Amino acid sequence: MNSNRSSSPSPAWKWRSSTVFIVTTITVALFADLFLYGFIVPILPYMLEERLGIRHKATQSSTSNLLAVYAAVEVISSPFIGIIADSSTLRRGPLIVGLAAALASTVLFAWSTQLYLLYLARIVQGLSATLIWVVGFATIADTVPTEKLGTTFGIITPFMNAGAFAGPMVSGILLQTVGYWATWSTAIAVLVVDIVLRFLMVENPRKARTEKSSSPYGAISHCPPENILAEAAILQGELEHAPLLSEHPRPSSPASAASNESRPTSSTSSPTHSAVSTAPSTPNEEILEYASLLRKSDDHASKKPPVTPVNWYQYYILLLSQRRYLASAFCTFTYSIFYASFEATLPLHVKAAFGWDSLPAGMMFLALQAPGIMFSPIAGWMRDRLGVRWPTTVGWLILTPFMFLCGVPGDPRFPWAVEYTGKALYVACMIAIGCSINLVTGAGTVESTLVVDELEAAQPGIFGPNGGYSRLYSLSSMTYTSGTLVGPELAGYMVNNYGYGNLSFLLAFMCIIAAGVSAAFIGPRNGDSKSSHLQDEEARVQAA
């Protein structure tokens, strides 16, 4: 009695290891990282001039260099962190290490009175951010079923955007109202919440969970294979003499009992189940078919040599040879350039074109991000139901005309777009972009995850016992961060030499290219994946 009671998980363990709590913990971690990234931007000029005594003329270059160091560290460290994280059996340890680094770097940054200490703090912050993003997304991919990844990322995205938006806004307001150290207490409070959640989280990897729930054969798939094969042999003998045995049914065996337990108790199955499921309709048929799969897997295993896991450089070569991954990386890179260009040029453009100060400019950023609260989960759901290709393609195509029209107000080639007409057109474009951009936000992440899942399904164990998600998301982090480095430089060059209008036209052209790449290369083609339940179950049995 006591042993049974102690072996069953406690209610606290259940909610700590639940998918909802794990996703919530990672969401808070990503929110905190983006919150802290933007948090320092309004404080940096004050720190450099008041605490470090740097002259006002050198403040801009020092600020840019401190922000660039952070991005450079992310790009350089991402592949190494991915390799180390995939060699770890559990994700919780690296996440806690990332948290400790974030806390230490935040305290160091706040207390620094020397410029070299600020650079050191930014380097540690870059390392911790890379660790949080790579391992955090890998934890989500491990935990959430593949068919729900799009919806999950769609729900997470608005919270990530909220962190990026709230960080500079909160620090700017608090610095003016409550002072320097009280401002930093807010950042510490966010980290404390993150600390509590990460120590409470208990991992519940997808592989461990799907082995118990994903099989259409239910409980029978967990019986010992030798019992199933013996039961099938007896059933085959009975079927050959069925008329003689019809009045004397044989007592049920453990395998058949398990099959009965896994079946609905109602005598009539639901219309949905009967219309969708193609699994066998009786317990005996389930046993016979599952035994057939076991025999096939044994024959296949005896003929097929064991899969040798790829090493780190073979992993990256394999992934970079996949057209679907390259297309997803291109979409991620284009999206990051797109968004970074807005961040770099929007405040200056609306001031020059309309005379707007920081408040209206901030409202334009709000127009870009607020629609994601409603539309991002819907876009994620569409990716789960329709696939990644067409929602992403349509999203880029919708963005194209609105991106083009953004460059019209304030451009001397369009004299009609002035005063109220130009302002109204610009605001309408910002709202439209904020709604439609959700169709492409996170599309590269979902598609690349599906690519790794399919490679793993085709050759179980090819990425090692801990999978290849961390290395995948390290590449994604490099791609996105590279876009944030290129975007401001490209935008600044275009605005200074050719004007804001031509920058918008260039971004619109990039949207057309991204739409073509998405339509041509994203998503599986005929024969790329198995669809029948028998093929899926055979792969699962071979992997067991």
Side-chain angles (χ1 to χ4, degrees):
M1 178 72 71
N2 293 334
S3 62
N4 291 337
R5 185 174 300 174
S6 61
S7 62
S8 61
S10 64
W13 187 92
K14 288 182 179 179
W15 67 260
R16 289 172 59 193
S17 63
S18 66
T19 300
V20 173
F21 185 76
I22 293 174
V23 172
T24 300
T25 300
I26 302 302
T27 302
V28 171
L30 297 174
F31 171 90
D33 176 71
L34 288 171
F35 180 88
L36 293 174
Y37 174 81
F39 189 87
I40 72 165
V41 175
I43 303 179
L44 263 179
Y46 173 85
M47 294 181 65
L48 293 171
E49 295 177 13
E50 300 297 329
R51 290 177 58 81
L52 276 66
I54 294 178
R55 293 179 301 170
H56 178 73
K57 292 183 179 180
T59 300
Q60 180 60 56
S61 61
S62 297
T63 300
S64 300
N65 291 337
L66 284 168
L67 296 176
V69 163
Y70 181 96
V73 169
E74 281 193 314
V75 172
I76 296 172
S77 64
S78 288
F80 302 102
I81 288 178
I83 294 169
I84 295 171
D86 269 343
S87 64
S88 176
T89 304
L90 297 177
R91 311 285 188 191
R92 185 170 176 265
L95 282 173
I96 293 176
V97 171
L99 170 64
L103 181 60
S105 60
T106 300
V107 173
L108 176 61
F109 198 91
W111 280 88
S112 295
T113 55
Q114 299 292 330
L115 187 59
Y116 76 90
L117 291 178
L118 288 182
Y119 278 105
L120 177 61
R122 290 300 282 171
I123 291 172
V124 178
Q125 285 178 342
L127 291 172
S128 67
T130 305
L131 193 58
I132 290 168
W133 279 77
V134 170
V135 181
F137 275 104
T139 303
I140 292 175
D142 274 338
T143 305
V144 178
T146 303
E147 64 273 12
K148 295 182 180 179
L149 273 178
T151 303
T152 302
F153 284 130
I155 294 173
I156 291 173
T157 300
F159 293 96
M160 294 164 52
N161 292 337
F165 182 77
M169 181 181 67
V170 170
S171 63
I173 294 173
L174 291 179
L175 186 63
Q176 295 294 324
T177 57
V178 299
Y180 181 79
W181 289 110
T183 300
W184 278 108
S185 66
T186 304
I188 299 299
V190 172
L191 285 175
V192 167
V193 174
D194 201 1
I195 289 171
V196 173
L197 290 177
R198 283 198 224 181
F199 274 99
L200 286 175
M201 186 186 79
V202 177
E203 289 186 57
N204 184 21
R206 178 175 62 191
K207 291 180 181 178
R209 187 175 66 258
T210 53
E211 284 180 359
K212 298 181 180 179
S213 61
S214 65
S215 173
Y217 296 91
I220 188 177
S221 60
H222 308 296
C223 292
E226 59 271 16
N227 290 0
I228 296 173
L229 293 172
E231 176 72 10
I234 297 173
L235 285 173
Q236 287 174 341
E238 288 186 354
L239 291 175
E240 292 175 1
H241 304 87
L244 298 177
L245 298 174
S246 60
E247 296 180 359
H248 303 281
R250 178 180 49 81
S252 62
S253 67
S256 60
S259 180
N260 282 317
E261 289 176 2
S262 67
R263 296 174 54 80
T265 56
S266 173
S267 59
T268 59
S269 59
S270 66
T272 303
H273 181 272
S274 61
V276 176
S277 177
T278 57
S281 58
T282 67
N284 288 348
E285 289 178 0
E286 288 181 355
I287 295 171
L288 290 172
E289 186 167 308
Y290 197 79
S292 176
L293 289 174
L294 287 173
R295 296 190 191 97
K296 290 180 181 179
S297 66
D298 288 341
D299 293 341
H300 184 75
S302 63
K303 297 176 182 178
K304 184 177 179 180
V307 175
T308 302
V310 295
N311 56 32
W312 64 271
Y313 67 87
Q314 290 173 330
Y315 175 93
Y316 291 127
I317 292 174
L318 175 63
L319 203 58
L320 292 172
S321 67
Q322 305 297 312
R323 58 167 178 79
R324 292 175 59 187
Y325 174 76
L326 293 176
S328 68
F330 180 81
C331 288
T332 299
F333 184 69
T334 304
Y335 172 83
S336 62
I337 289 178
F338 188 91
Y339 210 89
S341 298
F342 267 117
E343 290 183 330
T345 59
L346 189 149
L348 295 177
H349 173 68
V350 297
K351 184 177 182 179
F354 311 130
W356 289 351
D357 57 16
S358 59
L359 179 60
M363 296 302 293
M364 291 301 95
F365 281 112
L366 183 62
L368 285 173
Q369 296 178 353
I373 298 174
M374 176 183 298
F375 292 106
S376 182
I378 296 174
W381 177 85
M382 291 174 63
R383 283 191 281 267
D384 286 337
R385 294 297 180 271
L386 305 176
V388 180
R389 183 193 309 164
W390 297 121
T392 306
T393 302
V394 172
W396 288 119
L397 291 176
I398 295 175
L399 284 171
T400 301
F402 293 114
M403 194 63 250
F404 181 90
L405 291 173
C406 276
V408 171
D411 193 304
R413 291 171 292 184
F414 305 93
W416 55 270
V418 294
E419 296 299 330
Y420 295 105
T421 303
K423 294 178 181 178
L425 177 61
Y426 195 81
V427 171
C429 287
M430 290 293 103
I431 296 174
I433 290 173
C435 295
S436 55
I437 200 172
N438 294 284
L439 290 171
V440 302
T441 303
T445 302
V446 176
E447 177 69 5
S448 60
T449 304
L450 295 177
V451 171
V452 169
D453 283 345
E454 292 181 10
L455 290 173
E456 177 75 26
Q459 291 183 286
I462 189 174
F463 299 136
N466 303 318
Y469 289 135
S470 294
R471 285 168 288 179
L472 166 67
Y473 295 126
S474 70
L475 283 180
S476 298
S477 176
M478 287 180 60
T479 304
Y480 186 87
T481 306
S482 298
T484 62
L485 289 173
V486 172
E489 296 296 328
L490 173 65
Y493 175 80
M494 289 295 298
V495 170
N496 292 332
N497 292 278
Y498 302 102
Y500 185 85
N502 287 324
L503 169 65
S504 296
F505 304 155
L506 174 62
L507 294 177
F509 180 69
M510 292 175 64
C511 290
I512 295 176
I513 296 176
V517 170
S518 301
F521 301 111
I522 280 182
R525 296 299 187 267
N526 293 334
D528 283 358
S529 61
K530 299 180 179 180
S531 59
S532 77
H533 81 281
L534 285 177
Q535 291 171 317
D536 292 339
E537 184 66 19
E538 184 174 354
R540 195 193 70 80
V541 170
Q542 291 170 7

